[in-house]
Short mmCIF file of all heavy atoms in Angstrom, two decimals:
data_model
loop_
_atom_site.label_atom_id
_atom_site.label_comp_id
_atom_site.label_asym_id
_atom_site.label_seq_id
_atom_site.Cartn_x
_atom_site.Cartn_y
_atom_site.Cartn_z
N PHE P 1 -67.60 116.58 12.12
CA PHE P 1 -66.83 117.11 13.33
C PHE P 1 -67.74 117.44 14.32
O PHE P 1 -68.86 117.82 14.15
CB PHE P 1 -65.92 118.11 12.91
CG PHE P 1 -64.87 117.88 11.82
CD1 PHE P 1 -65.33 118.03 10.51
CD2 PHE P 1 -63.60 117.51 12.13
CE1 PHE P 1 -64.44 117.73 9.51
CE2 PHE P 1 -62.68 117.28 11.08
CZ PHE P 1 -63.12 117.29 9.84
N ARG P 2 -67.26 117.46 15.66
CA ARG P 2 -68.02 117.88 16.79
C ARG P 2 -67.26 118.61 17.74
O ARG P 2 -66.02 118.49 17.69
CB ARG P 2 -68.74 116.69 17.34
CG ARG P 2 -67.79 115.73 18.16
CD ARG P 2 -68.55 114.51 18.61
NE ARG P 2 -67.67 113.56 19.36
CZ ARG P 2 -67.98 112.38 19.68
NH1 ARG P 2 -69.14 111.88 19.43
NH2 ARG P 2 -67.08 111.59 20.39
N GLN P 3 -67.89 119.51 18.53
CA GLN P 3 -67.28 120.18 19.49
C GLN P 3 -68.13 120.24 20.79
O GLN P 3 -69.21 120.75 20.70
CB GLN P 3 -67.11 121.63 19.00
CG GLN P 3 -66.33 122.54 19.98
CD GLN P 3 -65.93 123.92 19.37
OE1 GLN P 3 -66.88 124.59 18.72
NE2 GLN P 3 -64.90 124.54 19.71
N ALA P 4 -67.57 119.61 21.79
CA ALA P 4 -68.19 119.65 23.07
C ALA P 4 -67.85 121.03 23.73
O ALA P 4 -66.87 121.65 23.46
CB ALA P 4 -67.70 118.45 23.96
N PRO P 5 -68.71 121.47 24.79
CA PRO P 5 -68.46 122.66 25.46
C PRO P 5 -67.07 122.67 26.05
O PRO P 5 -66.59 121.76 26.65
CB PRO P 5 -69.63 122.66 26.46
CG PRO P 5 -70.64 121.83 25.86
CD PRO P 5 -69.91 120.75 25.09
N GLY P 6 -66.30 123.71 25.67
CA GLY P 6 -65.07 123.87 26.19
C GLY P 6 -63.96 123.06 25.59
O GLY P 6 -62.83 123.09 26.01
N LYS P 7 -64.25 122.26 24.56
CA LYS P 7 -63.35 121.42 23.96
C LYS P 7 -63.06 121.82 22.41
O LYS P 7 -63.83 122.67 21.86
CB LYS P 7 -63.90 119.95 23.83
CG LYS P 7 -64.32 119.38 25.29
CD LYS P 7 -63.08 119.09 26.06
CE LYS P 7 -63.44 118.40 27.25
NZ LYS P 7 -62.26 118.00 28.13
N GLU P 8 -61.96 121.40 21.98
CA GLU P 8 -61.68 121.59 20.50
C GLU P 8 -62.44 120.77 19.69
O GLU P 8 -63.01 119.76 20.00
CB GLU P 8 -60.13 121.47 20.34
CG GLU P 8 -59.26 122.31 21.04
CD GLU P 8 -57.77 122.19 20.81
OE1 GLU P 8 -57.48 121.18 20.13
OE2 GLU P 8 -57.00 122.98 21.26
N HIS P 9 -62.47 121.16 18.40
CA HIS P 9 -63.14 120.33 17.35
C HIS P 9 -62.47 118.85 17.27
O HIS P 9 -61.23 118.76 17.45
CB HIS P 9 -62.98 120.98 16.02
CG HIS P 9 -63.97 122.09 15.87
ND1 HIS P 9 -63.57 123.26 16.33
CD2 HIS P 9 -65.20 122.32 15.31
CE1 HIS P 9 -64.53 124.23 15.97
NE2 HIS P 9 -65.49 123.58 15.42
N GLU P 10 -63.39 117.97 17.18
CA GLU P 10 -62.91 116.55 16.97
C GLU P 10 -63.47 115.90 15.83
O GLU P 10 -64.74 116.06 15.50
CB GLU P 10 -63.49 115.74 18.28
CG GLU P 10 -63.17 114.22 18.11
CD GLU P 10 -63.91 113.45 19.21
OE1 GLU P 10 -64.81 114.05 19.83
OE2 GLU P 10 -63.59 112.20 19.40
N GLY P 11 -62.59 115.23 15.01
CA GLY P 11 -63.11 114.53 13.78
C GLY P 11 -63.81 113.29 14.19
O GLY P 11 -63.39 112.45 14.96
N VAL P 12 -65.17 113.20 13.69
CA VAL P 12 -66.01 112.12 14.05
C VAL P 12 -65.98 111.01 12.99
O VAL P 12 -65.64 109.81 13.31
CB VAL P 12 -67.42 112.57 14.32
CG1 VAL P 12 -68.22 111.36 14.54
CG2 VAL P 12 -67.41 113.49 15.44
N SER P 13 -66.13 111.47 11.77
CA SER P 13 -66.03 110.47 10.72
C SER P 13 -65.89 111.20 9.40
O SER P 13 -66.52 112.32 9.15
CB SER P 13 -67.46 109.69 10.62
OG SER P 13 -67.40 108.80 9.55
N CYS P 14 -65.17 110.73 8.45
CA CYS P 14 -64.93 111.35 7.16
C CYS P 14 -64.84 110.21 5.98
O CYS P 14 -64.59 109.12 6.44
CB CYS P 14 -63.64 112.21 7.20
SG CYS P 14 -63.62 113.46 8.40
N MET P 15 -65.06 110.72 4.83
CA MET P 15 -64.91 109.78 3.65
C MET P 15 -64.45 110.63 2.56
O MET P 15 -64.81 111.71 2.29
CB MET P 15 -66.25 109.03 3.40
CG MET P 15 -67.39 109.98 2.94
SD MET P 15 -68.94 109.05 2.89
CE MET P 15 -68.44 107.60 1.83
N GLU P 16 -63.77 109.85 1.63
CA GLU P 16 -63.31 110.46 0.49
C GLU P 16 -64.39 110.51 -0.58
O GLU P 16 -65.43 109.84 -0.31
CB GLU P 16 -62.06 109.62 -0.15
CG GLU P 16 -60.80 109.77 0.65
CD GLU P 16 -59.70 109.02 0.12
OE1 GLU P 16 -59.86 108.30 -0.94
OE2 GLU P 16 -58.58 109.17 0.66
N HIS P 17 -64.25 111.32 -1.59
CA HIS P 17 -65.40 111.48 -2.53
C HIS P 17 -65.81 110.21 -3.26
O HIS P 17 -66.86 110.00 -3.64
CB HIS P 17 -65.00 112.53 -3.59
CG HIS P 17 -63.99 112.12 -4.64
ND1 HIS P 17 -62.66 111.92 -4.28
CD2 HIS P 17 -64.04 111.79 -5.91
CE1 HIS P 17 -62.02 111.52 -5.35
NE2 HIS P 17 -62.87 111.51 -6.36
N ASN P 18 -64.76 109.22 -3.43
CA ASN P 18 -64.93 108.08 -4.16
C ASN P 18 -65.44 106.91 -3.27
O ASN P 18 -65.56 105.84 -3.73
CB ASN P 18 -63.83 107.68 -4.93
CG ASN P 18 -62.53 107.43 -4.05
OD1 ASN P 18 -62.55 107.42 -2.86
ND2 ASN P 18 -61.40 107.37 -4.76
N ASP P 19 -65.63 107.13 -1.95
CA ASP P 19 -66.09 106.31 -1.01
C ASP P 19 -65.15 105.04 -0.70
O ASP P 19 -65.48 104.18 -0.10
CB ASP P 19 -67.46 105.63 -1.46
CG ASP P 19 -68.57 106.68 -1.42
OD1 ASP P 19 -68.42 107.76 -0.96
OD2 ASP P 19 -69.72 106.23 -1.97
N LEU P 20 -63.98 105.20 -1.21
CA LEU P 20 -63.02 104.20 -1.02
C LEU P 20 -62.36 104.19 0.39
O LEU P 20 -61.82 103.03 0.73
CB LEU P 20 -61.94 104.12 -2.12
CG LEU P 20 -62.47 103.82 -3.57
CD1 LEU P 20 -61.28 104.07 -4.57
CD2 LEU P 20 -63.09 102.48 -3.57
N SER P 21 -62.37 105.24 1.02
CA SER P 21 -61.78 105.33 2.27
C SER P 21 -62.58 106.09 3.27
O SER P 21 -63.12 107.14 2.93
CB SER P 21 -60.37 106.03 2.14
OG SER P 21 -59.66 106.23 3.38
N LYS P 22 -62.75 105.49 4.40
CA LYS P 22 -63.57 106.12 5.52
C LYS P 22 -62.77 106.08 6.86
O LYS P 22 -61.96 105.21 6.92
CB LYS P 22 -64.91 105.32 5.69
CG LYS P 22 -65.87 105.35 4.46
CD LYS P 22 -67.10 104.63 4.77
CE LYS P 22 -68.04 104.71 3.59
NZ LYS P 22 -69.23 104.05 3.75
N TYR P 23 -63.14 107.05 7.54
CA TYR P 23 -62.43 107.25 8.86
C TYR P 23 -63.51 107.33 9.97
O TYR P 23 -64.49 108.12 9.78
CB TYR P 23 -61.46 108.40 8.84
CG TYR P 23 -61.00 108.79 10.36
CD1 TYR P 23 -59.79 108.13 10.79
CD2 TYR P 23 -61.67 109.63 11.07
CE1 TYR P 23 -59.46 108.53 12.10
CE2 TYR P 23 -61.27 110.06 12.22
CZ TYR P 23 -60.06 109.45 12.81
OH TYR P 23 -59.70 109.92 14.05
N TYR P 24 -63.31 106.68 11.06
CA TYR P 24 -64.12 106.81 12.30
C TYR P 24 -63.25 107.02 13.44
O TYR P 24 -62.23 106.31 13.64
CB TYR P 24 -64.94 105.66 12.48
CG TYR P 24 -66.02 105.36 11.43
CD1 TYR P 24 -65.75 104.50 10.31
CD2 TYR P 24 -67.29 106.06 11.51
CE1 TYR P 24 -66.75 104.38 9.26
CE2 TYR P 24 -68.26 105.88 10.48
CZ TYR P 24 -68.04 104.99 9.42
OH TYR P 24 -68.90 104.84 8.46
N ALA P 25 -63.59 107.93 14.25
CA ALA P 25 -62.85 108.07 15.48
C ALA P 25 -63.05 106.82 16.39
O ALA P 25 -64.21 106.27 16.32
CB ALA P 25 -63.40 109.40 16.23
N ASP P 26 -62.14 106.48 17.05
CA ASP P 26 -62.23 105.35 17.94
C ASP P 26 -63.47 105.36 18.98
O ASP P 26 -64.03 104.42 19.17
CB ASP P 26 -60.95 105.18 18.90
CG ASP P 26 -59.66 104.80 18.04
OD1 ASP P 26 -59.96 104.29 16.79
OD2 ASP P 26 -58.61 104.91 18.44
N SER P 27 -63.84 106.49 19.32
CA SER P 27 -64.94 106.62 20.33
C SER P 27 -66.30 106.44 19.64
O SER P 27 -67.28 106.12 20.42
CB SER P 27 -64.89 108.02 20.93
OG SER P 27 -65.09 109.04 19.92
N VAL P 28 -66.39 106.38 18.35
CA VAL P 28 -67.68 106.15 17.71
C VAL P 28 -67.60 105.02 16.87
O VAL P 28 -68.66 104.61 16.24
CB VAL P 28 -68.09 107.42 16.78
CG1 VAL P 28 -68.01 108.66 17.70
CG2 VAL P 28 -67.16 107.57 15.67
N LYS P 29 -66.50 104.29 16.63
CA LYS P 29 -66.43 103.12 15.77
C LYS P 29 -67.37 102.13 16.18
O LYS P 29 -67.43 101.67 17.24
CB LYS P 29 -64.96 102.70 15.72
CG LYS P 29 -64.54 101.68 14.59
CD LYS P 29 -63.06 101.43 14.56
CE LYS P 29 -62.43 102.79 14.36
NZ LYS P 29 -60.86 102.54 14.22
N GLY P 30 -68.17 101.57 15.24
CA GLY P 30 -69.05 100.60 15.45
C GLY P 30 -70.44 101.07 15.83
O GLY P 30 -71.37 100.31 15.88
N ARG P 31 -70.51 102.37 16.10
CA ARG P 31 -71.79 102.96 16.48
C ARG P 31 -72.24 103.92 15.42
O ARG P 31 -73.50 104.13 15.18
CB ARG P 31 -71.71 103.68 17.79
CG ARG P 31 -71.42 102.74 18.95
CD ARG P 31 -71.46 103.47 20.31
NE ARG P 31 -70.48 104.52 20.33
CZ ARG P 31 -70.79 105.87 20.50
NH1 ARG P 31 -72.10 106.22 20.64
NH2 ARG P 31 -69.79 106.75 20.60
N PHE P 32 -71.24 104.59 14.77
CA PHE P 32 -71.67 105.67 13.72
C PHE P 32 -71.42 105.17 12.41
O PHE P 32 -70.46 104.36 12.16
CB PHE P 32 -70.98 106.95 14.00
CG PHE P 32 -71.31 107.73 15.21
CD1 PHE P 32 -72.14 107.19 16.22
CD2 PHE P 32 -70.81 108.97 15.42
CE1 PHE P 32 -72.53 107.82 17.31
CE2 PHE P 32 -71.27 109.66 16.61
CZ PHE P 32 -72.00 109.08 17.47
N THR P 33 -72.11 105.63 11.37
CA THR P 33 -71.98 105.32 10.08
C THR P 33 -72.06 106.50 9.15
O THR P 33 -73.15 107.21 9.20
CB THR P 33 -72.94 104.33 9.59
OG1 THR P 33 -72.81 103.10 10.26
CG2 THR P 33 -72.58 103.83 8.07
#
């Protein structure tokens, strides 16, 4: 998660323990892993 100055927390990327499901925020998709 990340928090920019004056902003709320934003989910950037997450994954389940079994690696079967991952999530990327639209703003970072294709750039973050």
Side-chain angles (χ1 to χ4, degrees):
F1 301 83
R2 67 186 180 190
Q3 185 176 35
K7 302 290 186 178
E8 296 183 352
H9 287 83
E10 174 190 13
V12 177
S13 182
C14 302
M15 68 188 306
E16 294 183 351
H17 74 288
N18 57 13
D19 294 351
L20 294 179
S21 182
K22 297 181 180 180
Y23 167 88
Y24 294 96
D26 289 340
S27 60
V28 307
K29 196 170 300 181
R31 299 187 296 117
F32 290 12
T33 303

